Amino acid sequence: MSFGLASLQRWFGGTRTAGDAVAPPGRWVVIDTETSGLDPLRDRLLAIGGVAVDDRGILLDDSFEIVLKGDRAGDAANIVVHGIGHGAQAAGVPVRDALEAFREWAADAPRVGFHTDFDRAVLRVAFTGAGFPADNRPWLDLAPLAGALVPEAYRYGGRSLDDWLAAFGIECTIRHNAASDALATAELLLRLRAIAAKQGTRGFAALVKAARAQKWLGNAD
């Protein structure tokens, strides 16, 4: 999906400036990326998808999806996975404009993802390459968090996003589409957040601490 300036303004519900980029209380953003390969330091960022959640649930009217403009197609096998071919990349939003739009949408909301080391590295390279400061705020990684909260699931796999979606009966309509994967990951977040609350763990910082402890134990890939 590509956007001109007017479309981006409609997407945000009006014009914004960097000074307006303040997240409402309780708003978290779940983020997924698609890339031209599996090396976050060398391969290109192709698309970003995201959806916001708050204490009430998923905010479908507060979502984000953008394809970045690229001048060359990636590996054919990789395109089969994410479906972003040369035409879609050529029609995408210029990289700096796309990243600025993402910054304004995400604002200062806590970031959430699945196997976030990859997404964070990809975004860091893209932002610094476009002349933006790197975003060093903490992310909540649902991969180790899920293992910490539901350790018995490891007996049945419980390592990949597909494993966890299946375990909770969550449907992902278009796998390896950034927006669709972000929505499915947001549903997983809500399930895990509810389990954590029952176990006495509440709030972004506490969940990040639990996820980091689990990752340190080596129980999440």
Side-chain angles (χ1 to χ4, degrees):
M1 183 178 297
S2 61
F3 302 92
L5 178 58
S7 297
L8 286 169
Q9 291 173 356
R10 289 194 297 272
W11 185 258
F12 293 134
T15 57
R16 288 188 183 183
T17 66
D20 297 326
V22 177
R27 178 181 183 261
W28 300 3
V29 292
V30 183
I31 298 164
D32 187 77
T33 62
E34 296 297 332
T35 64
S36 63
L38 298 177
D39 186 337
L41 301 181
R42 298 179 59 184
D43 291 314
R44 292 180 295 118
L45 175 64
L46 301 180
I48 309 171
V51 65
V53 304
D54 66 8
D55 295 339
R56 299 166 296 171
I58 296 173
L59 306 175
L60 292 177
D61 60 346
D62 187 358
S63 58
F64 184 88
E65 181 180 14
I66 204 161
V67 173
L68 284 68
K69 187 176 183 64
D71 58 3
R72 64 188 188 280
D75 179 74
N78 185 257
I79 292 174
V80 169
V81 174
H82 54 62
I84 307 172
H86 179 67
Q89 294 178 48
V93 177
V95 172
R96 186 174 176 84
D97 293 343
L99 294 175
E100 179 63 33
F102 171 72
R103 285 207 321 161
E104 292 189 13
W105 171 77
D108 61 356
R111 273 67 162 151
V112 182
F114 193 93
H115 286 321
T116 59
D117 286 350
F118 183 87
D119 295 308
R120 291 183 69 184
V122 167
L123 289 168
R124 185 180 301 113
V125 169
F127 271 104
T128 56
F132 290 109
D135 183 356
N136 294 316
R137 75 191 70 211
W139 286 48
L140 171 59
D141 191 343
L142 298 188
L145 180 65
L149 298 175
V150 195
E152 63 272 17
Y154 281 134
R155 290 179 293 176
Y156 309 102
R159 298 283 181 171
S160 70
L161 179 58
D162 289 319
D163 289 333
W164 288 109
L165 296 182
F168 285 101
I170 298 170
E171 181 180 357
C172 184
T173 54
I174 310 174
R175 191 71 172 88
H176 299 296
N177 169 276
S180 181
D181 284 354
L183 178 58
T185 303
E187 293 188 48
L188 178 61
L189 166 64
L190 297 186
R191 307 290 182 90
L192 294 176
R193 199 161 65 174
I195 293 171
K198 290 180 180 179
Q199 296 179 6
T201 303
R202 294 179 174 85
F204 185 78
L207 293 175
V208 169
K209 183 178 180 180
R212 287 177 173 172
Q214 182 72 7
K215 189 172 183 178
W216 183 82
L217 290 173
N219 288 329
D221 291 338

